[in-house]
Amino acid sequence: MDKKQQILQAAIELFAIQGYEKTSIAAICEHVKVSKGAVFHHFKNKEELLREAFIRMAQIMNEMADNLDVINEGLSAKEKLVNLLEHIFSSMASAEHKLYYQFDFQVLSQPSLRLVLNDLIEERYRLAMASFQPILGDVPSADGMVDGQMLIAEIDGIALNYLFAEDDYPLEAIKERFIKKYLLLLGLQD
């Protein structure tokens, strides 16, 4: 991993844990063991670093989704939906990705950061909807727009609860019931 990527990863971690406002460039430098000059060589200011960190987080999540497209080729709508939901919940359970969810929460819960990243947040939302739309389009009983928004909203809520829960949060059991609920709702249960 090159220095720029190390700086981005450190920024994601520190923004996720401490928040953007409480994370200084000096703290990022200390975390990566680089000078401020190295940070400012790659990023003109802290706001640009925030934007690049958010973009990097989204790229990592999208790379995982791209792999899923290959796996889902030729499967039924039900199988694709189950794979997508399994993938999302497995990502949520990953320690590395939990940091991304924390970073995302930090951004979404601070109006000043939402303003800075609004275009990127909207793009990420469009991509999330785009992952559900083709699947829901193959389900006769689905309302692609409504069901897609419901799925995203509920997944966001589960992720938020998971972030702040104790170690005994029943994520696996929630995943199983969540999948069953949507298969039933969409008329895809066995």
Side-chain angles (χ1 to χ4, degrees):
M1 186 180 315
D2 68 12
K3 285 292 180 207
K4 182 176 182 179
Q5 295 306 315
Q6 290 175 0
I7 293 165
L8 283 171
Q9 187 60 37
I12 289 170
E13 290 173 25
L14 294 174
F15 293 161
I17 295 165
Q18 300 174 161
Y20 175 77
E21 297 297 332
K22 292 182 180 176
T23 301
S24 66
I25 293 294
I28 293 168
C29 292
E30 185 178 317
H31 194 76
V32 183
K33 307 287 188 247
V34 298
S35 68
K36 283 186 180 181
V39 172
F40 291 119
H41 171 74
H42 296 290
F43 310 97
K44 68 180 177 183
N45 55 37
K46 187 176 169 186
E47 189 174 290
E48 183 178 289
L49 177 56
L50 171 68
R51 286 184 62 80
E52 289 290 326
F54 193 85
I55 289 168
R56 181 64 191 134
M57 176 196 65
Q59 285 171 335
I60 292 167
M61 301 303 266
N62 289 338
E63 287 166 7
M64 292 179 56
D66 290 343
N67 293 336
L68 192 60
D69 289 341
V70 173
I71 294 168
N72 277 346
E73 206 168 297
L75 297 180
S76 69
K78 175 185 176 179
E79 293 167 319
K80 289 177 184 178
L81 180 62
V82 170
N83 281 348
L84 178 57
L85 295 175
E86 291 270 359
H87 168 77
I88 290 168
F89 276 87
S90 129
S91 168
M92 202 182 299
S94 153
E96 179 185 3
H97 291 179
K98 193 170 184 178
L99 269 178
Y100 301 149
Y101 284 96
Q102 284 177 278
F103 176 45
D104 193 53
F105 174 73
Q106 288 283 353
V107 167
L108 295 177
S109 65
Q110 296 180 45
S112 61
L113 296 184
R114 289 181 66 167
L115 285 174
V116 171
L117 299 173
N118 192 50
D119 59 321
L120 299 175
I121 293 167
E122 286 181 15
E123 177 62 21
R124 192 200 56 202
Y125 176 76
R126 280 192 293 278
L127 289 172
M129 283 295 285
S131 66
F132 286 109
Q133 291 296 324
I135 297 169
L136 295 171
D138 290 340
V139 178
S141 64
D143 179 329
M145 182 60 72
V146 171
D147 291 325
Q149 289 182 359
M150 284 173 47
L151 281 158
I152 291 168
E154 287 186 72
I155 290 167
D156 283 349
I158 292 166
L160 182 61
N161 282 297
Y162 178 57
L163 283 177
F164 295 107
E166 300 299 321
D167 291 336
D168 62 346
Y169 191 77
L171 187 62
E172 185 66 25
I174 289 170
K175 175 192 76 173
E176 295 300 324
R177 293 199 50 93
F178 184 81
I179 291 172
K180 284 180 186 177
K181 177 176 96 171
Y182 269 94
L183 293 179
L184 181 63
L185 175 71
L186 297 170
L188 298 172
Q189 74 280 7
D190 292 330

